[in-house]
Amino acid sequence: MDINALAKTFWLQGYLAIDHFFDDELMDSYQAQILRHFGDEPDFIHNSDFLEKSNTDVIPWFPKLDGINDFDTAEQDPRLIALTEAILGAGWSSLYSMVMFSKKGSNGQAWHQDCPPEDKAKFNLNRLAYTMDIDDRSGGRLLVMPGTHRGGVISVGDMNEDFAEQVVLSPKKGTLILIHGHAWHRVQRVMSHIRVSTNYRCCPANTPEDITDTCVYRNMRYQFSSNSIIEERFL
């Protein structure tokens, strides 16, 4: 694996996808734990304003808050650490690991940026590990807009608009996907069964730990710490 070449590709595109990065046995063990945690009908934890305005049906779980350290194994993979450092430079730090669960028939996630893009030096890096196959039959494929990590704030418009430039990713069990926090991305509707991914978020040196407290959608800015819409965005 050419770490420097992969880092260069990431900075060109704003994202990177590597199939078969994680071991199948490790992913199977994570998937089993995730299914045990969520059960058949988990409740949404975000308030109704966020769910409606963001068109987002994702239920998060933070295993470490429950004293579960098993998910650290993937994050401590030496190849992932080396790739992260090649992208972010020295002094980067881990933020948290977050399992994201979507029910069958749920909306997925609308176009958004994970953090405000006005300061280009301050951003989060999503490091997504997939414990199941995601394809056009299952739904829930990941869409990214290449190069938008350099373009400032996401435009106002249809939350799930299709763009000619968008790239549709169908991760498989064991796939690693990296996404710059300023890059536009969304998740398509989940058609069958469920959708699961685990996000090992991190950030460069000198970036606030609460960098992802405010996310930017095409119709609003939302602050998680206050559970409130802090800016309505209109055409």
Side-chain angles (χ1 to χ4, degrees):
M1 187 170 66
D2 189 334
I3 297 291
N4 290 329
L6 290 171
K8 184 177 180 180
T9 299
F10 171 84
W11 278 110
L12 177 66
Q13 300 179 153
Y15 76 95
L16 190 66
I18 308 172
D19 287 336
H20 310 296
F21 188 90
F22 295 109
D23 178 73
D24 279 359
E25 185 176 350
L26 179 63
M27 296 297 98
D28 287 342
S29 71
Y30 284 178
Q31 184 77 352
Q33 289 190 66
I34 291 166
L35 295 181
R36 283 197 300 271
H37 172 79
F38 283 104
D40 294 329
E41 286 295 328
D43 293 326
F44 292 110
I45 67 169
H46 294 305
N47 66 31
S48 57
D49 270 355
F50 177 77
L51 294 173
E52 180 181 352
K53 294 282 288 184
S54 67
N55 198 37
T56 296
D57 288 342
V58 175
I59 306 169
W61 173 42
F62 301 87
K64 278 202 166 183
L65 295 182
D66 290 342
I68 297 173
N69 297 317
D70 296 359
F71 289 81
D72 293 354
T73 303
E75 186 173 27
Q76 293 167 357
D77 186 307
R79 299 167 303 152
L80 180 58
I81 293 171
L83 179 55
T84 302
E85 182 140 344
I87 290 170
L88 298 183
W92 66 274
S93 58
S94 294
L95 294 173
Y96 49 82
S97 60
M98 173 177 62
V99 177
M100 296 180 290
F101 181 99
S102 297
K103 302 177 184 180
K104 176 182 177 179
S106 61
N107 290 329
Q109 287 180 285
W111 286 115
H112 67 283
Q113 296 168 304
D114 290 328
C115 56
E118 283 76 11
D119 186 341
K120 295 187 184 303
K122 291 181 170 56
F123 61 93
N124 68 288
L125 174 65
N126 296 307
R127 300 179 297 172
L128 295 154
Y130 287 85
T131 50
M132 59 178 288
D133 293 350
I134 295 172
D135 52 32
D136 56 353
R137 185 180 63 84
S138 66
R141 293 185 298 176
L142 177 64
L143 277 61
V144 293
M145 284 282 283
T148 50
H149 61 301
R150 299 187 298 270
V153 68
I154 189 170
S155 63
V156 176
D158 182 350
M159 291 186 291
N160 292 313
E161 182 176 351
D162 283 322
F163 297 95
E165 305 92 334
Q166 71 188 27
V167 174
V168 181
L169 301 174
S170 299
K172 302 174 178 63
K173 180 172 65 177
T175 294
L176 169 69
I177 293 181
L178 307 180
I179 305 177
H180 192 294
H182 295 167
W184 305 10
H185 55 288
R186 77 176 180 96
V187 174
Q188 292 178 328
R189 185 175 182 83
V190 180
M191 305 303 294
S192 64
H193 194 42
I194 59 167
R195 183 191 194 277
V196 169
S197 64
T198 301
N199 192 353
Y200 296 95
R201 276 182 167 165
C202 59
C203 61
N206 302 314
T207 299
E209 290 185 356
D210 64 350
I211 185 66
T212 59
D213 186 42
T214 298
C215 60
V216 188
Y217 284 81
R218 302 193 79 197
N219 60 345
M220 68 169 178
R221 291 187 191 230
Y222 188 88
Q223 186 177 62
F224 292 104
S225 60
S226 63
N227 291 318
S228 64
I229 297 169
I230 58 174
E231 179 191 352
E232 297 266 15
R233 306 182 69 216
F234 302 100
L235 286 170

